[in-house]
Amino acid sequence: MAGLLQALVGVSEKAAQVARLCRREEPLFQLLVAEKTGPDRNRRFLQDFKTLADVLIQEVIKHDLGKEFPELRGHIHGEESNEFRNAQGETVTVRVCATPGDTAALLLSVLGPERAAAELLAAAVHRDAAPGDVELPDAALSVPPRDLAIWIDPIDSTNEYIGGREDVAPVDGIAPGGLRSALVLIGAYDRHTGCPVLGVINEPFFRRDPLTRRWQGRYHWGVAYGDTRLCSLSPPPPPRPTPRLVLSRAEGGPVRAALGPLCGDGDGDGDGHGLRFAAGAGYKLLCVILGLADAYVLSEGSTFAWDACGPHAILRALGGGVVALAGALRARRAGDTGPPPELVYNRPAEGAAGAERWANRGGLVAYAHPQHLEAVLAALATVPGL
Ligand code: 2IP
Ligand code: CA
């Protein structure tokens, strides 16, 4: 298990390096932002460069983890399929080849004339990632990889990653948007129960080195398996008497209005009181993990298994969790007083197709302290339609 955690940290570092590379190296950066800079002859592909980088990172993670832990092969999932269509309409299966040259040639069949970009990406995926320096206490961590499966989000908060704003001032430590909210999310869950057991969040754009001006990252991990709870972070501070909640900017008026009073914001307009707004599902979960917010509330099914699995494992390691909002409200209204069901990661939504199969339908509440979960549910139980 310690080996697997180290490996997950290692692959998250590789993904973070690719994320930084795509913004640092001109040939890649041009492709990344091309959509914003006007029409181009190769439009069909350019619109999908970020997807190609994501697919490639996913394949690297599958390749590297599958090599070290053969039991995980076929159980490593992400948002994207590795079937990629190039500008000529041909289907190319993106994968890591035996040599950097072969991988570059494969990427070139998607990237058309962009040889420099293909070579930079191929070199990055074949470079050895810095091994995770995670040291675990000798706790008997006996969960065998054959019982686990993995969800990966190579870069969450795509829009902020592409937009690349560096100067977004944090409010009480929470960045409302910008590069800080672009994160690598990796989670391992129990194949049989669907419970998240191991999570890594990597922040590729944590801070700029004052001397080199290069971006530096950092990462966090957590383990919640059986009775074992281990985390790279200290437990969150004691619950604030008035909770601080973080929401998506897309969250609607009725939910804001119901939650505002709970956190000292009478009209729910987020004007410096307890409601905070931030981009990125993973980033909002990280805010709860870091104790910057007490809960993240989302009333829509706009997050997916790959957004929540890794952060959820870390939250569990710290004594918190993530519940399905609609299910929790339903149980509450039916008089059920037990703890509401946590999200699980092995059950596709019935009747859904494509990415929707893995949507966290009906929204979620991520919390650090159970009393804040209770307060949020009590406030939301009054909102019609939820
Ligand atoms: C997105 C991303 C969005 C988030 C959405 C996720 O993932 O994190 O920012 O919406 O739920 O699925 P919001 O910012 O409103 O919380 P991706 O960027 O990987 O598509
Ligand atoms: Ca995402």
Side-chain angles (χ1 to χ4, degrees):
M1 181 77 159
L4 178 58
L5 180 58
Q6 252 146 2
L8 293 187
V9 169
V11 292
S12 84
E13 285 285 85
K14 212 166 186 178
Q17 276 161 19
V18 174
R20 284 188 291 263
L21 189 82
C22 288
R23 294 203 56 87
R24 191 174 67 227
E25 294 290 342
E26 205 49 31
L28 298 174
F29 183 70
Q30 285 309 327
L31 290 172
L32 192 68
V33 299
E35 230 182 311
K36 298 189 155 225
T37 55
D40 196 282
R41 62 198 144 89
N42 212 348
R43 176 168 282 281
R44 156 117 194 107
F45 163 67
L46 288 173
Q47 284 171 339
D48 286 338
F49 177 71
K50 172 59 181 53
T51 309
L52 176 67
D54 275 1
V55 169
L56 188 62
I57 294 171
Q58 251 173 242
E59 289 306 307
V60 173
I61 294 180
K62 280 186 195 167
H63 173 266
D64 290 7
L65 287 181
K67 206 159 101 188
E68 210 176 329
F69 302 97
E71 312 92 309
L72 285 177
R73 284 185 201 153
H75 296 277
I76 305 172
H77 316 291
E79 179 172 10
E80 315 289 351
S81 135
N82 64 345
E83 302 273 295
F84 205 90
R85 286 177 80 76
N86 66 12
Q88 291 75 45
E90 300 155 347
T91 300
V92 179
T93 304
V94 171
R95 61 188 175 84
V96 179
C97 305
T99 66
D102 291 349
T103 303
L106 180 72
L107 291 175
L108 205 56
S109 67
V110 181
L111 285 162
E114 306 287 344
R115 181 171 295 278
E119 286 173 356
L120 280 164
L121 275 182
V125 305
H126 282 270
R127 204 170 294 140
D128 275 340
D133 56 353
V134 180
E135 277 192 28
L136 282 177
D138 282 341
L141 285 173
S142 54
V143 53
R146 68 164 186 277
D147 288 337
L148 299 182
I150 310 276
W151 279 115
I152 310 160
D153 193 341
I155 272 289
D156 184 46
S157 212
T158 314
N159 291 341
E160 300 300 315
Y161 173 62
I162 293 174
R165 287 176 301 151
E166 301 183 4
D167 53 354
V168 181
V171 180
D172 293 330
I174 298 178
L179 264 185
R180 283 291 303 273
S181 36
L183 305 178
V184 179
L185 310 171
I186 305 179
Y189 63 92
D190 184 310
R191 269 181 224 176
H192 313 289
T193 63
C195 276
V197 297
L198 210 150
V200 176
I201 298 181
N202 199 309
E203 301 183 67
F205 305 100
F206 171 56
R207 63 169 203 151
R208 265 197 191 276
D209 184 301
L211 290 177
T212 63
R213 303 294 299 146
R214 281 201 171 191
W215 280 105
Q216 292 178 326
R218 66 172 180 175
Y219 58 79
H220 318 282
W221 55 263
V223 178
Y225 182 67
D227 293 331
T228 303
R229 297 286 181 274
L230 296 169
C231 190
S232 59
L233 292 158
S234 334
R240 293 174 182 84
T242 307
R244 185 184 293 160
L245 306 180
V246 63
L247 308 181
S248 163
R249 287 187 184 287
E251 195 57 72
V255 168
R256 293 181 185 211
L259 294 176
L262 183 64
C263 45
D265 181 358
D267 53 7
D269 64 356
D271 60 356
H273 297 289
L275 283 184
R276 294 281 173 266
F277 296 91
Y283 182 74
K284 286 186 277 289
L285 288 159
L286 178 64
C287 287
V288 182
I289 289 167
L290 295 175
L292 297 168
D294 297 290
Y296 160 36
V297 182
L298 176 71
S299 65
E300 303 282 333
S302 52
T303 67
F304 298 86
W306 47 85
D307 295 319
C309 184
H312 188 173
I314 302 179
L315 263 175
R316 287 186 65 217
L318 293 170
V322 185
V323 304
L325 175 58
L329 290 177
R330 216 177 301 123
R332 196 185 171 87
R333 286 171 183 140
D336 188 340
T337 51
E342 296 271 320
L343 290 185
V344 290
Y345 297 92
N346 63 346
R347 252 186 259 153
E350 273 171 40
E356 269 310 301
R357 295 173 70 222
W358 298 105
N360 300 315
R361 281 180 161 184
L364 55 82
V365 183
Y367 63 96
H369 299 287
Q371 59 266 55
H372 286 149
L373 170 65
E374 171 55 29
V376 163
L377 294 176
L380 292 180
T382 61
V383 179
L386 276 191

